[in-house]
Amino acid sequence: MISFFRKALSSWIVLALLGLVLVAFIVTGIGDPFGGGPAANTVVEVAGEDVTDAQLSSQFDRQLATIRQEQPGITAAQAVRGGMLEGVLERLIGSQALSAMGEKLGLGPSKRQVDAEIASIAAFRGPDGRFSEDVFRQAISAQGLTEDMVRREIGGDVVRRQLLGLVDSIPMTPRKLAEPFTALQLEQRTLELGAIPAQSFPVPTLSDADLEAFYKKNIANYTVPERRRITYALIDSAEIAKTVKVTDAAFADYYKRHASEFAASETRKLRQVVVQDKAQADTIAKRANAGEDFAAVAKDVAGYGETDLELGTLSKSALADQTADAVADAAFKAASGKIAGPVQSEFGWHVVHVDAVVTKPARTLAEVKDEIRPAVETELAANAVADIVEKADDALADGANIAEAAKDLGLTVVRIPPVTSEGLTLGESGLQLDQRIRPLIERAFTTEENDEPTVEDVSETLHALMDVEEVVPPTPVPLADIKPQVTAALTFERRMDAAKTVADKIVAGLKAGKPLAALLAENKMPPAQSFTARRIEIAARREPVPPPISLGFALAKGDARALAQPRNGAWFVVHVADVKPGNLAEAPAFLDQMRSQMQTAATNEYAQNFVAAIMSNVGVKRNDKALERLKQRYLGTADQPD
């Protein structure tokens, strides 16, 4: 689990170099700097601007939601234990530091660069594979973002990639430097492995005193984590939507507010050439107006390919956004099949060919009624949900408890016994929790015991009134209740100790020159197993490498060690029987592959050091206590107020 998070969070600099940071980590709400160091809710201060615990928590929740698409069962506590909170923080710090340095150097993208970045994002494309403004606006709205926020962050990403581009051209690793490492990867080893199973040894006799001492020594293993007793009432958008009735007045209101969508409109299919020299633009326009093929003239005069000309089908406002008002005015005055321009803008001289004019007549409410029905129903349901949420907020603010507020709103109150942050209970084996409320349980562990009831957003379609009625501190399970489990654990430990004694004896025998097979037979253990592989084969394995194999590739030829493997219920003896050095002549192409991989690794390391230097230059002040408080809230172990 921990390695999964580290892998997911370790390559953010490479992602930035590839231009993939973009919208996913938007830092909003940066406050004024605090003169005397970080404030209580400031996790880190970068270039004099704060990143608060609320901002970090928001970005952590976004990252966790993304990871849950591949790992649905992962909880916030597991993610924190896996290092994800620190990983997200480092990403925020690096991103903010690069942006601050870009501003310091006066770097900034043009509107055209930002437009191009937005158009290149697959999530903003329509069914035809082209950028769709409607899809773009729907996508950012669903994430609670505004166009200005997205443009600002994408502009910042352009600047960050401009800075990181300074260190993305490390030369290919020299052959002489790569050869020793490559040869090491081709090294072949033969290992002898011997298993000493714990079950090979007799079950020990255990006294009550033995069990008591073992229980006290390992009390943390028999302690239930902090639990919380939660009361909630769900506001389910899907259920509320079933009660919505669409009236003629609702249709009329929607039609009126979206009148521009149903009014007569005109779009044009356009092609365009932009050149810096007016004489070239005049030549293109003159020859095209004289009847020559526009694409052929553009290629002849300006070197444009067929696909370079395409603007697509645009409205006048969309064309103005991409070019300039004067260009749009000219293009929408020209007739179909005609040339508009040359017209000058900040990009150069535009010559536009009008391929087709597409007009749409106005449509009446009666004509669009069936088309807009889903949108009207969705809007009415959203309004109904918002109304219930607002009434619930008001009721709780006025001092009502959840039962009272829920009764007035027709909601069902659910009380669950104390649960851990991962949704586990003690002594409630038959309890079936609604899996939809897992985020709500995690949220409950970020509140204090005496906090007032709140209305929480569980997901886009689910809200809940929530109250933490009781906080149960970590509680040891009485020995009498788990005596069989403690007995089994101590029995296993004693048998593993006996296995270790034999394993150590066999290792001593190997070092004295005795063969492993004879030593295992002498101690009545299973026969030895042989394993032969090259280092590169071990590195290429998709599944985790067994620890005894890893150990065997870390020892010298002839060496032997004993290794405990509690999960396998055994000790293992690892003996390096043979080591054959790698021969580069056997795999000449592999050397070039390794040189390329070493170049990539060096590039990433340079980038990391470059960002570290920028962070040092702009200034980073960390508030470790604030980070630890946030971390403990997610883990459900935050100290309660006195």
Side-chain angles (χ1 to χ4, degrees):
M1 182 70 71
I2 291 176
S3 62
F4 171 80
F5 289 116
R6 286 176 178 166
K7 182 178 180 181
L9 295 167
S10 63
S11 58
W12 78 269
I13 289 180
V14 175
L15 292 179
L17 284 168
L18 294 174
L20 299 177
V21 176
L22 296 179
V23 183
F25 290 92
I26 294 177
V27 183
T28 58
I30 300 296
D32 293 329
F34 290 85
N41 68 335
T42 297
V43 179
V44 67
E45 190 179 287
V46 183
E49 296 192 5
D50 299 337
V51 175
T52 66
D53 52 2
Q55 289 171 253
L56 176 56
S57 180
S58 174
Q59 300 308 315
F60 174 85
D61 291 343
R62 282 176 182 266
Q63 178 74 49
L64 183 59
T66 300
I67 290 177
R68 276 177 172 156
Q69 293 176 9
E70 296 184 8
Q71 304 280 334
I74 288 176
T75 66
Q78 289 173 326
V80 168
R81 284 195 290 269
M84 199 178 98
L85 190 64
E86 289 86 349
V88 172
L89 178 60
E90 291 307 310
R91 188 176 301 191
L92 290 176
I93 293 172
S95 176
Q96 186 66 17
L98 285 167
S99 296
M101 178 57 72
E103 184 176 345
K104 188 175 181 179
L105 297 174
L107 300 179
S110 67
K111 180 178 180 298
R112 188 177 185 184
Q113 284 178 297
V114 175
D115 287 341
E117 291 284 350
I118 292 175
S120 70
I121 298 174
F124 300 153
R125 294 174 187 165
D128 60 355
R130 294 175 177 271
F131 170 75
S132 167
E133 189 168 340
D134 289 340
V135 173
F136 166 65
R137 296 193 183 283
Q138 290 171 8
I140 64 174
S141 177
Q143 294 297 319
L145 307 173
T146 66
E147 182 176 352
D148 182 63
M149 291 165 62
V150 174
R151 285 184 170 276
R152 185 169 62 248
E153 177 59 17
I154 289 179
D157 186 68
V158 171
V159 171
R160 289 190 287 272
R161 281 188 284 123
Q162 287 175 343
L163 286 170
L164 288 170
L166 299 173
V167 292
D168 70 349
S169 57
I170 304 301
M172 182 70 77
T173 304
R175 293 180 65 89
K176 289 297 182 183
L177 183 61
E179 283 175 353
F181 181 74
T182 305
L184 180 63
Q185 301 311 303
L186 295 173
E187 175 192 272
Q188 179 176 287
R189 290 188 168 220
T190 297
L191 309 179
E192 288 185 322
L193 307 171
I196 319 297
Q199 64 182 11
S200 300
F201 300 89
V203 176
T205 301
L206 304 174
S207 66
D208 288 342
D210 292 332
L211 294 175
E212 181 70 29
F214 181 80
Y215 171 78
K216 289 181 178 179
K217 176 184 175 183
N218 298 278
I219 191 66
N221 295 335
Y222 305 112
T223 298
V224 179
E226 178 185 295
R227 291 167 292 153
R228 299 197 170 201
R229 188 188 303 276
I230 303 167
T231 298
Y232 68 90
L234 293 181
I235 303 172
D236 189 339
S237 298
E239 293 300 319
I240 293 172
K242 297 176 182 178
T243 67
V244 170
K245 295 182 179 179
V246 183
T247 64
D248 289 340
F251 276 120
D253 177 64
Y254 184 93
Y255 181 82
K256 181 179 180 180
R257 287 185 287 107
H258 297 80
S260 61
E261 297 178 20
F262 312 114
S265 64
E266 179 183 309
T267 57
R268 297 191 167 208
K269 186 177 181 182
L270 306 168
R271 287 179 292 164
Q272 170 187 253
V273 175
V274 182
V275 294
Q276 301 304 311
D277 182 40
K278 185 175 186 302
Q280 273 190 318
D282 288 336
T283 299
I284 294 170
K286 182 178 179 181
R287 289 174 58 179
N289 279 323
E292 291 188 53
D293 181 72
F294 182 66
V297 173
K299 182 176 182 180
D300 181 42
V301 177
Y304 268 61
E306 186 73 38
T307 57
D308 298 330
L309 301 171
E310 297 292 338
L311 278 176
T313 301
L314 302 173
S315 65
K316 185 176 181 179
S317 61
L319 179 60
D321 286 342
Q322 289 192 24
T323 57
D325 290 339
V327 176
D329 288 340
F332 274 74
K333 286 178 181 177
S336 179
K338 299 298 182 181
I339 293 293
V343 181
Q344 188 177 24
S345 78
E346 62 176 313
F347 305 113
W349 290 92
H350 300 249
V351 180
V352 182
H353 187 276
V354 181
D355 291 345
V357 176
V358 182
T359 58
K360 291 172 60 178
R363 293 189 291 167
T364 65
L365 173 57
E367 291 173 324
V368 302
K369 199 169 187 178
D370 289 340
E371 178 185 325
I372 67 175
R373 178 180 293 276
V376 175
E377 291 176 342
T378 299
E379 189 175 270
L380 290 176
N383 291 339
V385 170
D387 183 55
I388 293 175
V389 169
E390 183 178 0
K391 288 179 179 178
D393 267 327
D394 291 343
L396 296 180
D398 290 339
N401 59 37
I402 286 185
E404 294 166 339
K407 182 178 180 181
D408 291 341
L409 296 171
L411 305 176
T412 301
V413 175
V414 179
R415 290 183 172 86
I416 58 177
V419 294
T420 67
S421 61
E422 297 181 7
L424 303 177
T425 60
L426 179 63
E428 295 283 345
S429 58
L431 178 67
Q432 295 293 324
L433 291 177
D434 186 336
Q435 289 303 305
R436 296 178 300 168
I437 70 163
R438 182 173 291 278
L440 189 66
I441 293 174
E442 294 173 357
R443 201 81 50 81
F445 277 79
T446 66
T447 65
E448 305 296 344
E449 182 175 11
N450 297 320
D451 285 353
E452 297 297 326
T454 58
V455 179
E456 300 287 342
D457 298 331
V458 182
S459 68
E460 289 185 9
T461 61
L462 197 65
H463 310 271
L465 288 70
M466 182 192 75
D467 187 22
V468 177
E469 294 187 340
E470 179 186 7
V471 175
V472 181
T475 308
V477 181
L479 174 58
D481 293 347
I482 53 172
K483 190 172 183 179
Q485 294 93 315
V486 176
T487 300
L490 179 53
T491 296
F492 179 73
E493 182 180 272
R494 293 281 176 88
R495 296 174 89 180
M496 282 292 286
D497 288 344
K500 180 181 185 303
T501 300
V502 173
D504 290 341
K505 178 182 176 182
I506 291 174
V507 169
L510 284 167
K511 292 182 177 180
K514 296 181 180 180
L516 178 59
L519 290 167
L520 290 170
E522 179 184 321
N523 287 277
K524 299 180 180 180
M525 293 296 126
Q529 300 293 318
S530 179
F531 177 85
T532 300
R534 291 182 175 184
R535 285 186 182 273
I536 188 61
E537 294 169 343
I538 297 299
R541 288 169 61 109
R542 292 190 176 184
E543 63 275 11
V545 179
I549 302 298
S550 296
L551 176 61
F553 275 80
L555 300 177
K557 181 178 179 179
D559 201 357
R561 296 283 176 85
L563 179 68
Q565 288 291 278
R567 288 188 177 183
N568 298 102
W571 274 79
F572 281 82
V573 173
V574 182
H575 176 236
V576 183
D578 187 36
V579 176
K580 292 182 180 179
N583 184 354
L584 293 178
E586 295 178 357
F590 184 56
L591 176 60
D592 290 334
Q593 293 177 19
M594 294 307 298
R595 291 176 66 198
S596 177
Q597 291 180 20
M598 293 174 74
Q599 178 194 32
T600 299
T603 298
N604 197 35
E605 186 172 348
Y606 269 98
Q608 291 179 14
N609 285 303
F610 179 64
V611 173
I614 287 178
M615 290 165 57
S616 177
N617 182 276
V618 302
V620 175
K621 296 180 181 179
R622 299 173 185 267
N623 186 347
D624 293 333
K625 290 183 178 179
L627 175 62
E628 185 62 23
R629 283 195 297 270
L630 179 59
K631 188 174 182 178
Q632 295 307 319
R633 288 211 301 271
Y634 276 111
L635 292 173
T637 57
D639 293 336
Q640 301 301 318
D642 295 334

